[in-house]
Amino acid sequence: MNTSLLTPDKDPMGHAVSEYYRKPASINIRVFSSQFDEDVIPVSHLFRSYPEMSPLEKRAIDLATGSILDIGAGAGCHALALQEQKKEVTAIDISPLLVETMKERGVRQTKLLNFFDPGFQEQYDTILMLMNGAGIIGKTENMPLFFNRIKQLLTPGGSLYLDSSDLRYLYEEEDGSFEIDLAAGYYGEVDFQMQYKTVKGDSFDWLYIDFQTLGYYASQYGFRTELIEEGEHYDYLARITKR
Ligand code: SAH
């Protein structure tokens, strides 16, 4: 498992976010994938405020209690919303540019850190992974490693909230049947590559996982999974706790 950090020359999102923070404008991060057509992330989306968040995200923020760890915090939108609710949050990310921007925006506790870095051993009552937070798992083969880290980082009685989507709709035929090639691996395993201006990142694995499959893996590693809320398009928020 890759436990490294990003360098600025390979960090399109970091550049886009730090530029937008200095001068808000309608700029986009370009997203490439071998499975999808080219797409964009409007950088303004990474700066969404609590009222602009999806119901699933609001729910996760409202449910978060105690000491909170926001994994893959981006521009710090969830951390800032939590601080506004007088909650105690530590925001981590692998991008030095993002961590710097979060600090400038007022996120009080930040760490430049890869979630998979085994040297990081603090414990939190709530862990958040939002905006398809399950993506950080990368591939289903990383599940043992992922749940091992969650086991180390959660206090007894603590909760992990993560959102994801079931990508089965991409394979739905007009007659309602699904054409999924089971031999090709789990259908939610995708690769992405991002670009902002001339800065292009490396390609990375990103996992979308349906609730049932997530629950299946979680139970194998001693966790219970609850469906907290479903979104409008095959997306959902799950709570994962130690059994
Ligand atoms: N949660 C934010 C940003 C989502 S984008 C939001 O909702 O707006 C995903 C973020 O995860 C990026 O900022 C990326 O740098 C970070 N990330 C990816 N892999 C990570 C890892 N292993 N550890 C910590 N952060 C990671």
Side-chain angles (χ1 to χ4, degrees), residues 159-217:
S159 300
L160 159 66
Y161 293 92
L162 68 74
D163 61 352
S164 195
S165 300
D166 184 350
L167 287 195
R168 64 183 302 173
Y169 64 87
L170 293 173
Y171 304 93
E172 194 167 356
E173 303 291 309
E174 273 174 23
D175 65 2
S177 68
F178 292 90
E179 199 170 294
I180 292 173
D181 177 7
L182 294 173
Y186 178 63
Y187 62 83
E189 292 179 342
V190 305
D191 60 79
F192 284 126
Q193 190 166 21
M194 297 189 289
Q195 181 172 0
Y196 177 65
K197 291 187 174 167
T198 57
V199 183
K200 201 162 188 168
D202 289 331
S203 172
F204 58 92
D205 297 325
W206 200 248
L207 179 69
Y208 292 85
I209 190 161
D210 67 282
F211 177 74
Q212 266 205 320
T213 307
L214 177 67
Y216 165 75
Y217 281 108

Side-chain angles (χ1 to χ4, degrees), residues 143-151 214 217-218 221 223 240:
M143 286 292 181
L145 209 56
F146 171 71
F147 280 109
N148 195 32
R149 287 302 289 144
I150 293 297
K151 209 167 270 173
L214 177 67
Y217 281 108
Y221 302 106
F223 289 88
I240 294 177

Side-chain angles (χ1 to χ4, degrees), residues 96-110:
L97 289 165
L98 291 176
V99 169
E100 205 41 55
T101 307
M102 280 194 259
K103 282 188 200 161
E104 290 175 30
R105 294 187 74 206
V107 179
R108 287 189 286 269
Q109 301 184 71
T110 59

Side-chain angles (χ1 to χ4, degrees), residues 2-6 69-74 90-100 102 110-122 124 136 149 153:
N2 185 351
T3 60
S4 60
L5 302 171
L6 290 178
L69 179 68
D70 182 6
I71 298 176
T90 300
I92 70 166
D93 206 285
I94 52 173
S95 156
L97 289 165
L98 291 176
V99 169
E100 205 41 55
M102 280 194 259
T110 59
K111 281 186 206 291
L112 177 60
L113 187 78
N114 190 313
F115 160 77
F116 288 103
D117 180 347
F120 177 50
Q121 288 284 357
E122 277 157 53
Y124 297 86
I136 287 177
R149 287 302 289 144
L153 295 172

